[in-house]
Structures are given as C-alpha cells and as structure tokens.
Amino acid sequence: MITLKLLALIGSGGSADVFRLAGGRVLKLYREGLDPGVIAREHDGVQHALDQGLHVARAFGTQAHRGRNGIVFEELIGKPLLHLPLLRPFRTRALLRRFADYHARIHLCSATGLPHAQHDIVRVRLLEAEVGESLRKRALDQLSAIPRGDRFCHGDYHPGNVILTRNGIAAIDWSNASVGDPAGDVARTELLFRYAAYGRSLRRFPALRAIRQMTADFYLRHYCDHTGVSEAAIDAWRLPMAVAALVPGSRIHRPTLVAALKRRGFSV
Ligand SMILES: Nc1ncnc2c1ncn2[C@@H]1O[C@H](COP(=O)(O)OP(=O)(O)OP(=O)(O)O)[C@@H](O)[C@H]1O
Ligand SMILES: [Mg+2]
C-alpha cells in the first residue's frame, strides 16, 4: 500500500479537505460517511471535462488515506474567485464575465457518455428537502415539466469552485456534474450568488448583501446575452432549484431563502 505524505491543508469545503502532496499534486479527502456515489460522480465529471478539452485539474486516480476515500488531482496554482475584489468594480466585472464565459463553455460540451442526469440529482434533493408536502409536490411537478437537456452541466458552479490560474479559469468540484439543461445549471449558480450562507460581514453590512445581488444580476445578464439562453428557461428552474437547496447540510442561508419564497407566496 502506498503511504502518502500530506504536506499542508490547502482548502476545505462542505464535503472534503484538500491537502498538498509532493510533485504538484493534491489529495481531496472526502469526509467519512460520504456517499461513495458522490466520489464516483466527481471522478466521472472531471474526466469528462478533460475529454471535452476544458481547463480543469487532471485527476490521477482514487486514493484512500486513514479510512477516508480520496482522489489525487493536479494542484492548480491560483486563487478561488470567491475572493472577488468587491470594492474594485471594474476588476470584479471583468472576472464575472470570465466566470460566466467559462460556464457557457461547459454548456457547449456534449455530455454523451456521462451516466448522471441533472433531473435525477435534483429530484433526489427535492425528495429530501425539509419543506411542506405541497411545496415539494409543486417543485417536483415543475421539474417534470422541464425537458431533460443533453448538455454538460457542472451542478455546483459558484466562485468558490472556480480557481483563477495563470492559464485562465478552471472549475473544480465536479461531484454534481451531469447531463442536463444549462438553464438549470445557471439557476443553481444564481441561487448560490443570492442565498449562499452568509458570513459575519454579510450579516452585518446590508451594502455587501446588495452588492451580492448586483453580482448575480450581472452574471445572469452576461450569460444570457452571450448564449441566447432565455430568462424564461432559467425561471422555470428557479423553484425546483430553490426547494432542492433546502436539504440538510445545504450551503444555502435557509432563513433568507425561506423568507424570499414566502414573499413570493409559497408556504414552506
Ligand atoms: N486541484 C486543486 N488545486 C488547488 N486547490 C484546490 C484543488 N482542489 C481543491 N482545492 C482547494 O480546496 C478547496 C475545497 O475544494 P472543493 O471545492 O473541491 O471541496 P468540497 O468539499 O467539494 O467543496 P464544497 O463545499 O463546494 O462541496 C477549494 O476551494 C480550493 O481552495
Ligand atoms: Mg467546493
């Protein structure tokens, strides 16, 4: 058995810790108890992204460490876009355009051969969401009415899952990658911009929350203008994606999203 030397913890997310290894590699070590299906989906997703010619971190295979499952990836040198320079509007807008363009590039890719379907992933979340039965049914009905797409979708595309490197933007965290409808993928990104968990500064400063809404608007407008995807197509996904985000352990700030749904007349 190979024993790996973990040099430093370089990142942590909801499902994994990421450690630097020697030789320009990192080990993404998933939390104990995580569904192995999620790890397989990440491996399939990143492999598919590579096959499609997208700029991503190459995967070198799976690797267990002290009872936890992991995947070894190439280390991307750069910073997650999450640290957008919000107080430098020109730079922020330029980065948001690149962020939206990369998303559009993912959606130009065929997803033939990828075994995971966006409708199925969202449906499972809708069944697990902590909401009343009538809202669940409404979201499920709305999902069923949307045609299944045939494009490559990331499934969790947000500025924390995008790294700005010397060679351009690269998306990480492909564990929700699927064949699907780009409009749904965009609706998920919009939702994350607007409602992802609030840090202390966002809770304290309403102006920062307003900037977040403006970034969401800017991303959406740029994406739609450059792809021809309509606002109506994205709108059809908004309720299913919002309800699907009300699962336990979600990165969404539940009180804010619930308040927004109630303002729109939904009983949660
Ligand atoms: N290939 C890589 N090269 C460099 N840094 C990386 C790489 N993969 C991940 N990271 C770092 O580790 C952090 C967590 O990685 P990742 O988003 O894949 O974890 P996660 O637990 O799946 O996240 P989430 O909370 O979105 O589910 C990233 O934000 C990034 O800083
Ligand atoms: Mg992540």
Side-chain angles (χ1 to χ4, degrees):
M1 198 182 84
I2 309 165
T3 330
L4 288 178
K5 187 155 184 230
L6 311 190
L7 299 180
L9 176 70
I10 60 165
S12 263
S15 60
D17 298 310
V18 177
F19 294 90
R20 177 171 295 127
L21 304 173
R25 298 180 181 202
V26 299
L27 174 64
K28 178 168 178 175
L29 215 45
Y30 298 88
R31 303 208 189 293
E32 264 168 67
L34 187 83
D35 174 5
V38 172
I39 303 171
R41 215 158 59 193
E42 170 133 36
H43 202 265
D44 294 345
V46 83
Q47 203 49 54
H48 190 82
L50 273 169
D51 293 345
Q52 291 292 318
L54 289 167
H55 178 216
V56 294
R58 190 171 297 277
F60 296 106
T62 53
Q63 171 75 53
H65 182 80
R66 298 200 171 151
R68 288 165 72 183
N69 294 316
I71 300 179
V72 178
F73 288 102
E74 161 194 358
E75 178 173 4
L76 295 168
I77 307 297
K79 274 205 175 122
L81 224 61
L82 185 64
H83 311 296
L84 281 177
L86 286 181
L87 299 176
R88 291 173 58 199
F90 287 110
R91 172 102 173 110
T92 304
R93 272 185 237 144
L95 288 173
L96 278 171
R97 278 189 212 103
R98 291 172 71 181
F99 174 84
D101 289 343
Y102 185 101
H103 207 187
R105 223 158 37 244
I106 296 174
H107 296 151
L108 283 176
C109 297
S110 150
T112 305
L114 203 61
H116 319 289
Q118 176 190 46
H119 264 61
D120 301 337
I121 295 173
V122 176
R123 200 181 135 74
V124 167
R125 297 218 178 110
L126 289 177
L127 294 173
E128 288 171 357
E130 295 178 309
V131 295
E133 288 315 309
S134 79
L135 182 59
R136 188 191 322 282
K137 182 173 180 325
R138 186 147 176 193
L140 281 165
D141 289 348
Q142 211 156 307
L143 174 70
S144 310
I146 305 171
R148 285 169 176 264
D150 65 353
R151 302 282 89 203
F152 189 30
C153 293
H154 181 282
D156 198 26
Y157 190 74
H158 62 79
N161 278 340
V162 165
I163 295 189
L164 185 60
T165 74
R166 270 220 316 238
N167 301 322
I169 274 180
I172 56 168
D173 206 353
W174 291 85
S175 56
N176 296 284
S178 67
V179 47
D181 176 6
D185 215 29
V186 171
R188 162 86 183 162
T189 299
E190 181 200 6
L191 188 83
L192 290 167
F193 266 123
R194 297 196 194 282
Y195 304 109
Y198 284 4
R200 202 147 52 112
S201 50
L202 271 169
R203 279 200 299 274
R204 282 181 56 202
F205 299 113
L208 285 182
R209 296 204 291 276
I211 291 176
R212 240 165 85 146
Q213 300 308 323
M214 282 155 58
T215 21
D217 294 340
F218 186 88
Y219 154 77
L220 266 184
R221 207 168 45 245
H222 184 82
Y223 180 91
C224 290
D225 287 353
H226 287 78
T227 57
V229 170
S230 71
E231 172 76 27
I234 295 166
D235 195 45
W237 278 97
R238 283 194 172 113
L239 183 69
M241 282 299 180
V243 176
L246 292 173
V247 287
S250 168
R251 68 168 71 256
I252 288 293
H253 189 248
R254 186 180 170 99
T256 315
L257 178 56
V258 167
L261 285 166
K262 285 187 176 160
R263 276 198 302 280
R264 274 164 231 162
F266 297 110
S267 146
V268 181

